[in-house]
Amino acid sequence: MKRFLALVSTGVLLGSLVVLAVPSPASAWVLSASPFVFIGARDECGSPYPPGSLIVTSQWMWGLGLPDSGGGNTTNTINPTNPDTQGDPHKGLLLSKNGPTSDCSAAGAEIHGEEGMPVDPGFYLGFDYRNGGHCGGGAPRFNVEFKDPLGADGFSFVGNCAVAATSPAVQDPLEWPPLRWRVSNPAQAFPPIPVGSTITAINIIFDEGTDQPGAEDPRGIGLATIDNININGAIIRAGDN
């Protein structure tokens, strides 16, 4: 399936820059993520793909995600001491493709502030994923540009939900599993990014449509909700749109 290599340069940004990115104690990098959609012209995705259609959406939405404070999702028996979350925006990133995968279109988010991040042996990418949506072999994924240790430009697809490392979610253990991919692992990055490389650009891409059923969406819904975008420990929790 075509992987929309042009997305990193031709995406149309929607809304203003995502403001909040709270890095974890393990990271001093402050990052943000701007939603965008890509709608390609004829032949822009290569033959035999038709031109794109306005069937894609990417937006941070109130009430769709986890608490932006980093706390538990609600006050309940699982989180009996959870602070009041009534005023928390609970923003989550909606990614949708309402049509066939072959349509030359995609939803996504451009990461800002990551340029220059060094790739060490444990460098990983990830996000928290809301159960019940689409999480397939190629979407949502990360498109990563980098310079290898010799200074040559490189490009990698990092993703595939079936091979992600998972663990119980802190904010909502039952419904929001965190997914993680190590960029130097050849089973999780295609091709793997050499240790010692430097990150130059990262984009989240969602380009699998309603003709791509999955384990959690057997009818093919072409929609995913993610939150807590994690760039090697720097966490992007919310947007401003």
Side-chain angles (χ1 to χ4, degrees):
M1 182 176 63
K2 187 67 177 177
R3 287 305 181 191
F4 299 102
L5 298 183
L7 277 172
V8 294
S9 59
T10 59
V12 178
L13 296 182
L14 294 181
S16 56
L17 180 69
V18 175
V19 170
L20 177 63
V22 181
S24 72
S27 174
W29 295 80
V30 179
L31 308 180
S32 58
S34 294
F36 69 81
V37 296
F38 168 79
I39 302 172
R42 184 175 299 278
D43 298 327
E44 194 165 0
C45 291
S47 179
Y49 294 91
S53 308
L54 188 56
I55 59 171
V56 285
T57 299
S58 177
Q59 186 173 358
W60 288 99
M61 299 187 68
W62 288 51
L64 198 66
L66 293 164
D68 301 340
S69 66
N73 198 16
T74 60
T75 301
N76 53 33
T77 56
I78 297 175
N79 302 299
T81 61
N82 189 50
D84 183 14
T85 64
Q86 183 176 8
D88 192 289
H90 288 72
K91 287 187 178 181
L93 181 62
L94 173 68
L95 300 167
S96 176
K97 184 167 183 176
N98 181 29
T101 301
S102 60
D103 189 272
C104 185
S105 61
E110 180 182 4
I111 307 301
H112 300 278
E114 82 287 17
E115 187 173 358
M117 294 182 85
V119 177
D120 58 31
F123 194 102
Y124 68 93
L125 301 174
F127 46 74
D128 290 5
Y129 162 76
R130 184 173 172 177
N131 288 337
H134 178 80
C135 201
R141 69 172 185 278
F142 294 89
N143 280 5
V144 184
E145 295 180 77
F146 62 92
K147 286 190 177 295
D148 70 16
L150 298 179
D153 292 330
F155 184 90
S156 178
F157 300 117
V158 181
N160 187 344
C161 294
V163 299
T166 61
S167 61
V170 174
Q171 292 183 266
D172 192 335
L174 298 179
E175 299 298 334
W176 284 88
L179 305 181
R180 304 287 183 263
W181 298 271
R182 189 161 55 87
V183 302
S184 59
N185 183 346
Q188 298 182 326
F190 314 94
I193 301 175
V195 172
S197 298
T198 301
I199 299 297
T200 57
I202 300 176
N203 291 272
I204 295 172
I205 304 297
F206 189 83
D207 57 6
E208 292 183 344
T210 53
D211 57 346
Q212 295 287 322
E216 292 197 39
D217 64 327
R219 299 182 68 178
I221 63 173
L223 182 150
T225 303
I226 66 173
D227 204 348
N228 295 340
I229 300 166
N230 194 318
I231 310 297
N232 201 39
I235 302 174
I236 303 170
R237 296 193 189 278
D240 68 348
N241 60 332

